[in-house]
Amino acid sequence: MRRQVLPSKLDPTSDHFQRNRDAVLERLEELDKLLAAARAGGGEKSVARHHGRGKLLVRQRIELLVDRDSPFLELSPVAAAGTEYEVGASTVAGIGVVSGVECYISGNDPTVRGGAVNPYTLRKGMRGFEICMRNRLPHISLTESGGADLPRQSEIFLPGGASFRYLTQLSAMGIPTIALVFGNSTAGGAYTPAMCDYTVFVKQRAKVFLGGPPLVKMATGEESDDEELGGAEMHSKISGLSDYLAADELDALRIGREIVANLNWKKLGPAAAEDVEEPLYDTEGLLGLAPTDLKIPVDMREIIARIVDGSRFHEFKPAYGVNLITGWASLVGYEIGVLANQQGVLFSSEAQKAAQFIQLANRHHVPLVFIQNVTGYMVGKQYEQAGIIKHGALMINAVSNSTVPHITLQIGGSYGAGNYGMCGYAYRPRFVFIWPNSKTAVMGPQQLAGVMSIVRRTAAQAAGKPFDEQQDALLRKAVEDQIENESLATFTSGRVFDDGIIDPRDSRTVLGIALSAALSAEVKGAETFGVFRM
Amino acid sequence: MTVSSINKILIANRGEIARRIMRTCREMGIATVAVCSNPDRDAPFVKEADEAVPLGGTHPSESYLRIDAIVDAARKTSSDAIHPGYGFLAENAAFARACQESGIGFVGPSAEVIAAMGSKIEAKRRMQIADVPLLPSVEVGNQPADQVLRQAEPFGWPLLIKASAGGGGRGMRIVRQAAEFASLIETARRESQAAFGDAAVFVEPYVEAARHIEIQIFGDTHGNVVHLFERECSIQRRHQKIIEESPSMALDDALRRAMTSAAVRAAKEIGYVNAGTVEFLLTPDGKFYFLEVNTRLQVEHPVTECVTGLDLVRLQILVAAGEPLPAEVHELAMHGHAIEARLYAEDPRQDYLPSAGRLHRFRLPAAAGIRVESAVGESAVISPYYDPMLAKVIVHAPTRVEAARRLRHALARAQIHGLSTNRELLVRTLEHPDFLRGQIDTRFLERHDPAALAAPLGDDHAERLHAAAAALASQAARRREAKVLDKIPSGWRNNPSQFQQTRFLGHGGEIAIEYRFQREGLQLRIDGHEQPHVRCEVATPAQIQMHMAGIQRTFAVHCVGNTFYVDSPLGSSALVEIPRFPVPQDETAAGSLVAPLPGVVNEVRVKKGDTVSAGDVLLVIDSMKVFHWISAPLSGRIAELRVEAGNHVDGGTVLAVIEEF
């Protein structure tokens, strides 16, 4: 056998397991509420009004666009959670299969403030373009939006222009861009279909112009109506902005499917193995493994055994740098390298091991999966003097310059530079998903509040002022609460610092979809890295 | 001739009987030759023959009825004998004579006997000599109708007009009142002349509630004549037998003795050699009357084989080879009960309209005591030129009730996809209380509505469950065929908002199936109703095993195009999937015809007011040295014609306006 089966010693009856399970189920309930809010869109009235116009909801459009019974992985479904905007940020985005092709699909939700773009919609959209570009995924827009949320236009106008640059750059890269226009797409929005390779306009619905009748009247005095300025028939028969005139929404979706079927699309990554073994152990176990108390370490091998094919794993350097597990496995038939934090702390040996392993994966052209539960690099005199920064830099250098696909799964904490070394958001993983119990911050809330307290005390002493212990305790508590709140999964996911919170039991499925999508692009390992400081 | 002189037999027939005869030939070490028409070239009986001679042609008159071509084929292949099967040339005296003259053995009686029995009038005359009970009759000859009526009226009403040369119900008319007598005589004469080249008809009393009982007889060239007991063939549709059995419930030992000895007397009187059948009508008062002699192997011979243990084709060949009938035929007893059902590609709900086309699947469950004589393999194209019988299904069981139940089960569980058949009618007849009580006669299918008997076997509830099975099987097929993400759970969603939806059109209307697979298992809705406690244990494109309301069932699913054939213990359904996306509309077909490009009108082929059909060429435009044919986008009337030949037109110019009807 190429790889040994990982044994499992998990005891589902243990208190520890039950505590974790109860806690993560509670978080999942919170997540479900947010997802339900996202699905509800603009609320019952708005949905009824939309249906009343004979229109399909954005999720219905997507369900009809994708191949029947194929999976659909919604990305950042709780974007804008915890902000003044509706959960979901008035768009639905995800990876779906259209006519046998994995595509990135993004649709405006016109029931939410007319599908207006807010700063989180923009972030979600930009992340989508990056995903398409890096993973070579066709980009399909289901367009129906009133444009920018005007009170916040200052945050949208300048960065938002990148949408159109991205669209044409995708096209230049040979990555197809398709716009199905179901309704309004005016002013700046008019460039969305205009920059796409293929456009489909729905008859009597699509409305695409730079300026509507009132603006035209103001600008030139000309009398005109919507249809003359931007109707589907006009654009299909006269201006040529529309490539296909769809009789109705269903027809547009049918045409969209046919367009994709005619792209002559071939994935460039390695093919999956024919026969795939499912993991040997029940994925329910992952609920009991989800760490709620970050002080208690988790056996990452138990988690790996519930994610990879056949629970088989070939561990690399098992006796060295034991706080970080590295090794080879396969996931839904694709070869992967795994880096997982067995103990939260990274020492020099772990950093060096990671740098070596990442280079090997690049040599073998094998994608990497990072499984994070990391508290950071070790601090202290001994470690600083032994070069912990230097070794951390090795790891960050390797992660940054590696060109094989990286997919990151955060199953617990992710603190400090450990987040960077383990391919956090800023290190541009192809996809990054987090478990609902995840916590992310520069450091733990208690440490952070404590550090701030020490700084205050030192400052008071230096100034010779008395130190108010009571006041300090209150401040510490307030800071701790704030940091704790901002490190929660719903907070980071709401700000689109990941691609979504997932049910731990879905880890294999989500990573499988993400990996398969990433392999639409060629996998080619890096030949050069930054200068390694030895 | 001796047995060893028949080493090769040409079968001048097709379908199941050709296969049946070849099977015995193979067992006897006799080589086989098939003849076939063009549509039959790939039929199983052709493949199973050692040699085959294509006759060409399509209609029987161009193929299986061509005496010269068939005798020539026998000569060419050095066949020692021809077996005519049934139908086609089996009772054609000229054919028997042609064989005789060419020195080729004919597996059947002499040409003289065939000719004599081919005339019903002549046959009745001979039977009278043999003291076989006959119905009184009047030969019409050249007598005026009123004269015939005067002679026939004493028989009592109703009367039956029959063609002397007739068969299969043609040239036959029931007369219920004197007023229609003359015209029906004329109709029968005309029909008889057209069908058989002989206008001779005669008039008999019509026996309303008679049973059809026939006696299998066998004679050899050594003067032996035996009977092989009776068959009852009372279940008929339009004078054609569809269910036959042996023994008959209507016969006690005394009646059986009376009828079999009458049949043997009849056979001896005409010097009958080889297999034949003497047909009788049996009236409710226990009287029987001669009908006719069939000078061939009958379609329903297998029921006799089952109860006697004999191989009738083997006996036919032995007799044809000049052998005496083997000893066992002289000491026969009947064992158990046999029933045969004829499975036809026809629609009993549409007056038995034959259904031609592709049979996508034909599968009968294997079961003890079931014998299948099939014309087709697993799939076939059923051509409209021949008898639409797909197969005969025969059961042999200890008792009649058991035989009926087994046959019913085999037919009910058969997978027959693509064509309408009389399967449902056979199943409902076999389970009918009247049938089981033996209360049958030739009008059974007049008393019992064939349309009701032929309704789908499953009820609406079954059809809805079948639709669910079809949806899940088609789901499995899509997952199996998926080229990407095929290892990911079916229809997986991290933010599920709706169900997978499939709609079917079934016998009872539209059925909406919604399903999704969740961590907890399958969620299923049928027509919007959530199905509680559903489990799907097995889901492949061909099989669904589902637990529902505490019952586990297995559904066999077969998809052809967008039609799903589902078979289960609940019955069989054919469900047409309604496409997710409507058929695309031609956006430009709005009634007005527009020049596709600038050019000169070269020709105008219509004028204002003309009626045109979609696709008709209306005008020709010459542009860039190329002709462009402008055709009607829809059917209708030319309401306006705006151009004439020689006109220059710009692209987009309206050329004509068609008013849709």
Side-chain angles (χ1 to χ4, degrees):
Chain A
M1 236 337 137
R2 201 149 64 105
R3 290 170 190 139
Q4 300 303 311
V5 170
L6 289 167
S8 175
K9 291 186 221 69
L10 192 62
D11 176 11
T13 59
S14 72
D15 287 348
H16 179 62
F17 184 100
Q18 288 301 332
R19 255 199 318 279
N20 279 345
R21 189 172 185 279
D22 292 347
V24 80
L25 284 174
E26 207 173 297
R27 290 288 154 87
L28 282 172
E29 250 174 69
E30 289 166 26
L31 175 63
D32 277 344
K33 280 185 196 132
L34 292 175
L35 291 174
R39 289 195 299 272
E44 267 175 50
K45 262 195 212 160
S46 176
V47 167
R49 194 164 57 238
H50 188 74
H51 279 314
R53 293 178 182 143
K55 291 179 166 201
L56 296 167
L57 296 176
V58 59
R59 283 191 164 75
Q60 292 176 312
R61 289 171 182 164
I62 291 173
E63 290 286 350
L64 283 161
L65 181 67
V66 298
D67 292 354
R68 297 164 72 185
D69 307 300
S70 66
F72 182 77
L73 172 59
E74 191 172 331
L75 298 174
S76 297
V78 301
T83 72
E84 73 263 43
Y85 292 102
E86 283 82 354
V87 180
S90 75
T91 58
V92 180
I95 307 294
V97 183
V98 180
S99 301
V101 177
E102 289 151 294
C103 296
Y104 173 87
I105 301 162
S106 150
N108 302 112
D109 185 345
T111 68
V112 180
R113 306 188 198 193
V117 173
N118 62 53
Y120 303 96
T121 322
L122 190 63
R123 277 200 203 178
K124 201 162 152 176
M126 292 302 157
R127 173 68 182 156
F129 286 121
E130 192 193 349
I131 285 171
C132 289
M133 214 167 248
R134 308 267 320 281
N135 300 296
R136 191 174 167 269
L137 291 174
H139 186 282
I140 304 178
S141 320
L142 311 182
T143 302
E144 181 170 16
S145 162
D149 181 40
L150 290 177
R152 293 284 287 271
Q153 64 82 29
S154 65
E155 287 167 65
I156 297 163
F157 170 61
L158 287 173
S163 308
F164 315 120
R165 172 178 56 78
Y166 270 127
L167 279 171
T168 190
Q169 284 179 332
L170 283 172
S171 180
M173 290 169 77
I175 301 171
T177 50
I178 300 163
L180 311 183
V181 185
F182 292 92
N184 279 335
S185 186
T186 57
Y191 286 99
T192 295
M195 302 313 295
C196 283
D197 292 348
Y198 291 91
T199 58
V200 181
F201 283 31
V202 177
K203 195 174 171 178
Q204 285 163 354
R205 299 283 191 207
K207 198 159 82 178
V208 182
F209 43 59
L210 291 182
L215 184 83
V216 171
K217 175 81 177 159
M218 291 307 294
T220 67
E222 187 186 33
E223 296 284 348
S224 55
D225 64 27
D226 282 358
E227 184 61 32
E228 289 170 314
L229 291 174
E233 291 211 47
M234 187 285 283
H235 280 309
S236 299
K237 292 177 178 172
I238 300 173
S239 80
L241 180 61
S242 161
D243 300 320
Y244 301 85
L245 177 60
D248 52 28
E249 295 203 7
L250 276 183
D251 200 33
L253 294 161
R254 176 190 65 79
I255 295 168
R257 290 181 52 75
E258 283 189 20
I259 289 170
V260 177
N262 283 284
L263 291 175
N264 188 27
W265 191 250
K266 283 169 194 70
K267 292 177 74 171
L268 300 181
E274 279 292 318
D275 295 315
V276 170
E277 286 178 282
E278 288 295 307
L280 298 184
Y281 312 112
D282 191 355
T283 50
E284 287 292 319
L286 291 169
L287 294 178
L289 286 162
T292 35
D293 182 351
L294 298 177
K295 288 196 191 76
I296 303 171
V298 195
D299 185 356
M300 273 291 185
R301 287 181 189 85
E302 295 279 3
I303 291 175
I304 295 169
R306 281 164 180 78
I307 292 178
V308 300
D309 295 345
S311 304
R312 293 179 185 281
F313 190 59
H314 172 79
E315 194 168 340
F316 172 74
K317 250 177 156 63
Y320 182 84
V322 294
N323 282 4
L324 181 78
I325 297 170
T326 54
W328 309 111
S330 71
L331 181 67
V332 294
Y334 297 110
E335 295 294 299
I336 54 167
V338 177
L339 295 96
N341 304 106
Q342 177 69 346
Q343 291 277 352
V345 187
L346 296 166
F347 293 92
S348 290
S349 52
E350 279 78 17
Q352 286 171 305
K353 179 177 172 180
Q356 184 185 358
F357 187 71
I358 291 166
Q359 289 181 77
L360 288 173
N362 278 269
R363 279 296 155 82
H364 307 329
H365 311 293
V366 171
L368 289 170
V369 173
F370 294 81
I371 307 182
Q372 293 185 344
N373 183 26
V374 59
T375 45
Y377 290 97
M378 194 60 199
V379 293
K381 271 182 277 193
Q382 184 196 339
Y383 305 102
E384 298 284 5
Q385 287 170 11
I388 185 72
I389 299 174
K390 217 171 69 171
H391 294 125
L394 286 183
M395 186 169 169
I396 293 170
N397 179 344
V399 165
S400 303
N401 291 298
S402 161
T403 52
V404 296
H406 295 174
I407 295 172
T408 301
L409 176 66
Q410 183 180 336
I411 63 119
S414 187
Y415 293 104
N419 172 278
Y420 304 162
M422 286 299 289
C423 202
Y425 175 76
Y427 287 77
R428 301 183 79 199
R430 301 290 184 94
F431 293 95
V432 49
F433 297 99
I434 66 175
W435 282 7
N437 52 300
S438 289
K439 295 212 177 124
T440 314
V442 64
M443 61 184 85
Q446 286 168 333
Q447 289 83 351
L448 193 143
V451 168
M452 283 174 68
S453 167
I454 292 166
V455 172
R456 276 194 301 276
R457 192 186 297 271
T458 316
Q461 276 169 356
K465 288 180 186 162
F467 187 69
D468 184 345
E469 292 290 347
Q470 216 172 348
Q471 174 75 12
D472 181 65
L474 282 172
L475 262 170
R476 268 176 85 143
K477 177 81 177 69
V479 169
E480 235 182 278
D481 286 353
Q482 184 210 329
I483 300 304
E484 171 70 17
N485 188 45
E486 290 176 0
S487 68
L488 292 178
T490 47
F491 183 91
T492 50
S493 206
R495 275 149 189 78
V496 201
F497 286 132
D498 55 59
D499 296 310
I501 306 169
I502 63 165
D503 187 317
R505 293 168 292 188
D506 287 334
S507 297
R508 172 178 166 80
T509 298
V510 171
L511 293 180
I513 296 172
L515 182 60
S516 176
L519 297 180
S520 295
E522 189 187 10
V523 176
K524 199 160 175 353
E527 281 165 15
T528 52
F529 289 84
V531 172
F532 287 112
R533 183 180 298 277
M534 294 302 180
Chain B
M1 268 206 243
T2 61
V3 175
S4 57
S5 72
I6 295 184
N7 290 313
K8 190 190 264 192
I9 290 183
L10 180 144
I11 296 100
N13 215 302
R14 62 184 297 280
E16 66 87 15
I17 192 60
R19 299 179 80 185
R20 158 75 191 92
I21 294 163
M22 286 179 203
R23 197 169 63 227
T24 291
C25 288
R26 274 195 300 275
E27 282 169 16
M28 294 175 76
I30 295 170
T32 55
V33 180
V35 290
C36 65
S37 66
N38 282 338
D40 278 345
R41 270 182 310 203
D42 294 325
F45 80 89
V46 178
K47 290 181 188 148
E48 287 164 15
D50 294 319
E51 293 172 299
V53 180
L55 299 171
T58 300
H59 287 276
S61 61
E62 303 163 347
S63 52
Y64 301 106
L65 292 175
R66 287 176 58 200
I67 295 175
D68 289 359
I70 291 169
V71 170
D72 195 45
R75 220 184 270 129
K76 203 157 61 181
T77 53
S78 309
S79 299
D80 302 309
I82 294 180
H83 195 304
Y86 55 73
F88 296 125
L89 297 171
E91 291 173 284
N92 184 313
F95 182 54
R97 201 169 295 122
C99 291
Q100 219 170 319
E101 283 164 6
S102 309
I104 296 164
F106 180 75
V107 184
S110 67
E112 293 69 33
V113 167
I114 294 173
M117 295 301 109
S119 158
K120 289 199 167 74
I121 292 172
E122 171 64 12
K124 285 184 92 162
R125 209 169 287 146
R126 302 283 294 270
M127 290 306 120
Q128 195 148 26
I129 299 167
D131 197 22
V132 175
L134 295 172
L135 285 170
S137 64
V138 182
E139 287 175 38
V140 173
N142 291 324
Q143 305 182 68
D146 55 340
Q147 202 174 314
V148 178
L149 183 58
R150 259 199 309 281
Q151 299 165 67
E153 237 175 341
F155 303 159
W157 292 96
L159 294 169
L160 182 65
I161 308 167
K162 284 173 91 171
S164 176
R170 272 184 300 182
M172 201 188 288
R173 283 292 181 279
I174 300 163
V175 195
R176 297 195 181 269
Q177 46 197 338
E180 54 185 23
F181 188 76
S183 73
L184 286 177
I185 286 269
E186 258 327 292
T187 314
R189 285 174 62 95
R190 268 204 312 276
E191 210 170 286
S192 178
Q193 177 67 41
F196 315 110
D198 178 3
V201 298
F202 61 99
V203 182
E204 281 180 352
Y206 177 64
V207 186
E208 294 259 16
R211 303 173 84 115
H212 177 111
I213 309 287
E214 59 187 31
I215 308 295
Q216 175 71 51
I217 51 164
F218 234 107
D220 64 19
T221 51
H222 304 269
N224 299 306
V225 174
V226 296
H227 72 85
L228 307 180
F229 305 109
E230 80 278 9
R231 292 185 289 259
E232 170 154 16
C233 317
S234 295
I235 307 294
Q236 303 186 353
R237 60 121 173 94
R238 302 202 302 188
H239 308 292
Q240 278 207 358
K241 304 158 186 172
I242 57 167
I243 293 177
E244 303 103 335
E245 57 185 310
S246 183
S248 164
M249 274 183 96
L251 271 56
D252 56 17
D253 285 346
L255 186 53
R256 180 169 294 118
R257 261 197 307 278
M259 292 183 79
T260 52
S261 58
V264 170
R265 277 201 307 282
K268 282 190 170 155
E269 158 61 27
I270 54 178
Y272 200 89
V273 170
N274 218 303
T277 297
V278 185
E279 296 187 338
F280 294 103
L281 277 182
L282 178 65
T283 58
D285 58 2
K287 293 201 176 98
F288 63 94
Y289 302 99
F290 172 78
L291 265 180
E292 62 180 351
V293 177
N294 294 133
T295 56
R296 55 168 155 86
L297 187 70
Q298 294 279 77
V299 177
E300 59 272 23
H301 74 274
V303 294
T304 299
E305 295 186 322
C306 287
V307 294
T308 60
L310 296 169
D311 177 341
L312 266 56
V313 173
R314 176 171 168 269
L315 295 185
Q316 280 195 295
I317 294 169
L318 291 177
V319 168
E323 288 276 299
L325 284 165
E328 63 259 32
V329 304
H330 298 289
E331 48 212 41
L332 284 179
M334 299 175 98
H335 297 287
H337 197 100
I339 308 179
E340 172 184 282
R342 299 192 198 180
L343 194 59
Y344 279 100
E346 65 183 17
D347 188 353
R349 289 173 296 172
Q350 288 189 64
D351 203 20
Y352 304 102
L353 185 75
S355 35
R358 181 163 281 281
L359 180 67
H360 296 295
R361 177 179 289 171
F362 181 64
R363 237 181 238 179
L364 277 155
I370 295 285
R371 167 175 162 188
V372 180
E373 298 288 349
S374 164
V376 295
E378 263 250 332
S379 68
V381 174
I382 305 303
S383 73
Y385 312 109
Y386 314 110
D387 183 80
M389 190 171 79
L390 296 176
K392 307 184 302 203
V393 186
I394 307 109
V395 63
H396 187 206
T399 65
R400 185 173 187 269
V401 168
E402 200 173 326
R405 191 172 58 223
R406 277 201 217 165
L407 183 55
R408 182 215 163 276
H409 188 254
L411 288 167
R413 299 304 300 276
Q415 297 184 10
I416 308 170
H417 301 163
L419 292 176
S420 305
T421 70
N422 63 341
R423 178 255 294 265
E424 291 78 9
L425 178 124
L426 293 171
V427 167
R428 288 221 175 72
T429 302
L430 288 166
E431 69 190 11
H432 200 286
D434 283 2
F435 179 85
L436 294 175
R437 277 196 295 266
Q439 289 173 358
I440 52 175
D441 59 55
T442 55
R443 298 186 63 192
F444 183 88
L445 289 178
E446 290 170 40
R447 276 200 309 282
H448 304 289
D449 179 17
L453 295 176
L457 292 177
D459 55 11
D460 284 355
H461 174 66
E463 192 172 71
R464 284 193 290 271
L465 295 190
H466 285 178
L472 294 172
S474 119
Q475 171 271 142
R478 282 189 292 272
R479 290 314 292 151
R480 189 170 285 187
E481 285 155 21
K483 289 187 181 65
V484 297
L485 302 182
D486 54 318
K487 305 294 193 303
I488 303 295
S490 178
W492 182 88
R493 299 286 183 270
N494 54 333
N495 188 11
S497 65
Q498 53 197 288
F499 285 58
Q500 298 286 332
Q501 299 172 7
T502 310
R503 286 181 304 143
F504 296 98
L505 201 56
H507 180 72
E510 200 177 307
I511 304 167
I513 303 296
E514 296 168 281
Y515 60 88
R516 67 177 170 200
F517 296 96
Q518 291 189 301
R519 215 182 299 284
E520 299 75 27
L522 170 68
Q523 248 186 303
L524 178 70
R525 289 183 195 151
I526 301 178
D527 284 337
H529 300 291
E530 191 89 36
Q531 306 294 310
H533 315 299
V534 183
R535 271 200 339 268
C536 187
E537 303 281 329
V538 177
T540 73
Q543 197 188 60
I544 295 295
Q545 203 180 78
M546 221 177 349
H547 272 270
M548 227 174 185
I551 305 168
Q552 179 176 310
R553 292 193 187 91
T554 301
F555 301 84
V557 183
H558 178 210
C559 173
V560 181
N562 58 351
T563 303
F564 289 80
Y565 299 98
V566 185
D567 298 281
S568 81
L570 300 170
S572 301
S573 306
L575 298 150
V576 178
E577 189 179 354
I578 298 169
R580 263 208 309 177
F581 298 102
V583 182
Q585 309 265 315
D586 186 353
E587 272 303 308
T588 55
S592 59
L593 260 177
V594 175
L597 70 184
V600 177
V601 178
N602 183 276
E603 191 188 341
V604 179
R605 297 191 181 177
V606 288
K607 50 187 194 304
K608 196 177 163 189
D610 281 1
T611 302
V612 295
S613 303
D616 287 356
V617 174
L618 309 181
L619 311 107
V620 182
I621 290 179
D622 183 352
S623 174
M624 307 290 288
K625 298 179 220 140
V626 176
F627 286 135
H628 299 268
W629 281 267
I630 313 297
S631 10
L634 53 126
S635 302
R637 194 182 60 86
I638 304 284
E640 281 177 59
L641 192 61
R642 298 191 184 171
V643 292
E644 53 189 79
N647 283 175
H648 283 272
V649 291
D650 288 330
T653 306
V654 174
L655 305 168
V657 177
I658 301 174
E659 210 173 67
E660 207 173 349
F661 289 132

